[in-house]
Structures are given as structure tokens and as C-alpha cells.
Amino acid sequence: MSHVHQIIKPSNLPVQPNIFIYLFFIKIDRIIPLKLSRTPMAIPKLSRTKPKSSRSPIWLLTITISAIALLYLFSSLISTTGSNPLQTPILQFNNRVYQSDSDKFLYWGNRIDCPGKHCKSCEGLGHQESSLRCALEEAIVLKRTFVMPSRMCINPIHNNKGILHHSDNVTSEERWAASSCAMDSLYDLDLISNKVPVILDNSKKWFQVMSTSMKLGSRGVAHVEGVSRADLKEKSQYSKILLINRTANHLSWFMECKDRNNRSAVLLPHSYLPSMAAKKLRDAAEKIMSLLGDYDAIHVRRGDILKTRKDRFGVDRTLHPHLDRDTRPQFVLCRIADWVPPGRTIFIASNERTPNFFSPLSVRYKLAYSSNYSRMLDPVVENNYQLFMIERLILAGAKTYIKTYKETDTDLSLTDDPKKNTKIWQEPVYTKEGC
């Protein structure tokens, strides 16, 4: 006598009010549907030598229906409180299941700190990274996955592709390509995700999130322009939302970080994003550092902050009165004499545009620049942002690292002028005792 098997297939039991039970007998080569009627059912008798199969199908059917009814009743009671785990929306991403109870999303927009159509107002990578850290910190506080812009806005002066702006016969897509670069060409997103989970806003995951959010209605998206971080964290009305749409300040994202000047309140240090450089940039930096061997480094900011203007009496004034002096070679030699012994190799990273400007330092030190490794960098570097990220890694790897400004009490710096200017225009000073 053939064996008898039962298959019971409930469909969406916790959610759908109608419960459909399909009960079949499968017998060797054909499927016989079970018909419940008043007449006795033709159920083949099983051998008494197999007690495990001697139970009545009617008894099993009764137990199954009772269990399903209890489960449905239980799920209905829970749903009235709004906390039914069985009704949690599920997102399927590349064979990984994300439940919205444990994986929700935070979106700040598709551009970092660059208003306008072609990103001509970008202040530079340092400012943009401050804003990006602000957004990532909020994702940590809210325990959400951050939706990273897929492209980083770049001022054309930092991008070799900026020549496209000199032509009137270019498309908007070409202009956008000339004023931006792929985010994953700058940062290692997998490395960032070890600390803060991130996805790109052009990824399949992001489109699935948006699609799901539209289906969830009021539980899908919350537009929170002007809502404080504390309210987003503490108020329960936001905790169940799949996607928080943060409409950040149109000029600078970091304007949303009210305590950005309080270093004790910063979750991510200033060195975090520089250390998250894309793998190809990290590899290039490591190769150059291996060639440099035992070296020291100086970062000299000049071109972007040496600004002067004349007052009503025709006198030059500047916001950093000692910076021009302190970053000139003869004063640099005087400043670093006690920090760097003669004969050492010094790697110099600077935006000074005058050729051979730092050559006078060679009377005491061996000088190295990124341009000395152009054969190694040319296949990797597409814009100045990538070059600067490589240089930052080299600077950080030096035995002695001297910055332009003092950022912490333990930093070595070329000038004592504050990094954040006082908005007071003063006469520049070009002399210094002892130098």
C-alpha cells in the first residue's frame, strides 16, 4: 500500500483576513483532492505495524485549522497596537533581507554643499567633508543607513574636466560630469559601512527603498525639514518611518550640526573621512610612502586663503596677518629647525602656484612633492580631489607632520594665526625677530 502525505499551504496568514487551506492527498502518480462530505471518506487503511501513520487525517486537519485560527487571532490583537512584527515590510537586496525595524534610511539630498546648477559655489573638499561627517553622524545617532550622493560636486578649478565649461556646445550631462566625480572614486564605501552603513542614491537598493516607501503610505517617508536631531531620535512618530528625508541647509549641510564647534560632541573625528579613501588612492599613497622611506611632511596652504584688499586709505589688509610671512621658505626654515633635523626628507603638499617656491628649503633638507611621482599618479588621479586625498594619506604617514594651522593643542604648525579667521581685516606682517 502506498504511503500518504499531507501538504497544507497557508498564504499570508497574519495579514490577510481570509484563510485558504489546501489539503491534498498525493498518491504515487496522481493528486487526489480531499472532499469533505457527509459520506464516509475513502481513506486507505494503514498497516497497524506503523503506529506513527495511524492518526486520522480529520484529526490532523482539526488541529491545523485550530492552530491557524489562534495564530490569526493573535496577530490581529497585536496589529491593533501597531507593533505586529509579522507586518514589518521586508526589502530584498542582493539575497540579503533588510527588515525596516532594524534597517531604516536617512536621505540628505544628492549634492553636498554645492547650491546652483553647476556646483560653482563649492568651497572645497574640506568643507564638503565637514558636511558629510555631519550627515553620517546623524545616521549613527538615528541608527539608520545613510543614502550617500552618488557623485561629489567639484568646483571646476579643482577638476581637469572643467575645460568643458569654456564651450557653449555642451550638454547638461557633460557639464554635470565636468563639475563632479563618482563618490566611490573618492571613498571606499565598504570601509565606511563598517562604521556607518551607506548606500548610493543611484543603486538598486535605493530604488527599492523608494518603491517600498511609496507602498507604505504614512509609514514610508517623513519629510523633516527643520526638525532637530533630538526630535528625530526621541519622538516615536519618526522611529517607525522607513525613510527620513532630511532637507538640509541649501548652502551647507553642516549647518544642521548645531554642536559642530563642540569637539566633545563630535562622533566622527576630522581624520575619519581622509582615512576612508578609495582603495586605489590608498594603494597609490602606500607605494609613494614606501619610496619615501623615513620622511617628514609639511602641508602649506597659501593659494586658497592668501587674500588681501585695500582699505579706504589704500593700505593692504588681510584676515590672516602672519600667514603669508610664516609660509615663506626662509620663515619655514626658522620655524621647523627644532622639529626636523637637517638632512631629512620632507614631503611638501601645497597649493602654492609659483614654480620652485619652496626650493630654498633644499639647503637643509631633501624635498619631495607629489609631482615627483607623476608616472605613478597619472593613471589613478582624475582631479585634484583625488590628488589631495592621496597627499593627505602621505602627510598622515610622516614621522613628523607639520600643518599650516594648529588644530589641536599638540599639533605642530607653521603659523600661530587661528584657522578660523576673526573677520577682522588687519595689515599683513612680513618681519619676524630671529629669522
Side-chain angles (χ1 to χ4, degrees), residues 90-125:
I90 301 294
L91 308 175
Q92 185 74 34
F93 295 148
N94 298 332
N95 298 325
R96 177 183 173 189
V97 175
Y98 290 76
Q99 288 191 342
S100 67
D101 277 347
S102 60
D103 196 281
K104 302 184 181 69
F105 299 84
L106 175 66
Y107 179 69
W108 276 53
N110 65 343
R111 297 188 184 184
I112 303 175
D113 280 11
C114 292
K117 195 171 183 180
H118 304 310
C119 300
K120 292 182 179 180
S121 301
C122 295
E123 292 291 339
L125 182 61

Side-chain angles (χ1 to χ4, degrees), residues 118-119 122 128 152-156 158-159 178-181 383 385:
H118 304 310
C119 300
C122 295
Q128 289 169 279
M152 174 70 91
C153 225
I154 303 180
N155 189 308
H158 295 300
N159 194 338
S179 59
S180 68
C181 68
N383 52 64
Y385 274 16

Side-chain angles (χ1 to χ4, degrees), residues 376-404:
M376 189 180 301
L377 294 175
D378 284 347
V380 177
V381 173
E382 300 173 357
N383 52 64
N384 283 354
Y385 274 16
Q386 292 176 321
L387 176 60
F388 181 49
M389 294 185 76
I390 292 175
E391 288 183 330
R392 287 191 308 192
L393 293 172
I394 299 173
L395 293 172
K399 180 179 180 180
T400 302
Y401 174 25
I402 303 168
K403 303 178 181 181
T404 303

Side-chain angles (χ1 to χ4, degrees), residues 42-108:
I43 302 176
K45 295 181 180 181
L46 302 179
S47 173
R48 293 183 180 181
T49 61
K50 298 180 180 180
K52 293 184 179 180
S53 302
S54 60
R55 295 178 181 178
S56 169
I58 296 295
W59 181 81
L60 290 176
L61 177 62
T62 304
I63 295 298
T64 302
I65 294 177
S66 300
I68 292 172
L70 288 174
L71 180 61
Y72 179 71
L73 177 61
F74 178 70
S75 64
S76 300
L77 291 174
I78 294 178
S79 65
T80 60
T81 65
S83 58
N84 182 3
L86 297 176
Q87 291 182 336
T88 297
I90 301 294
L91 308 175
Q92 185 74 34
F93 295 148
N94 298 332
N95 298 325
R96 177 183 173 189
V97 175
Y98 290 76
Q99 288 191 342
S100 67
D101 277 347
S102 60
D103 196 281
K104 302 184 181 69
F105 299 84
L106 175 66
Y107 179 69
W108 276 53

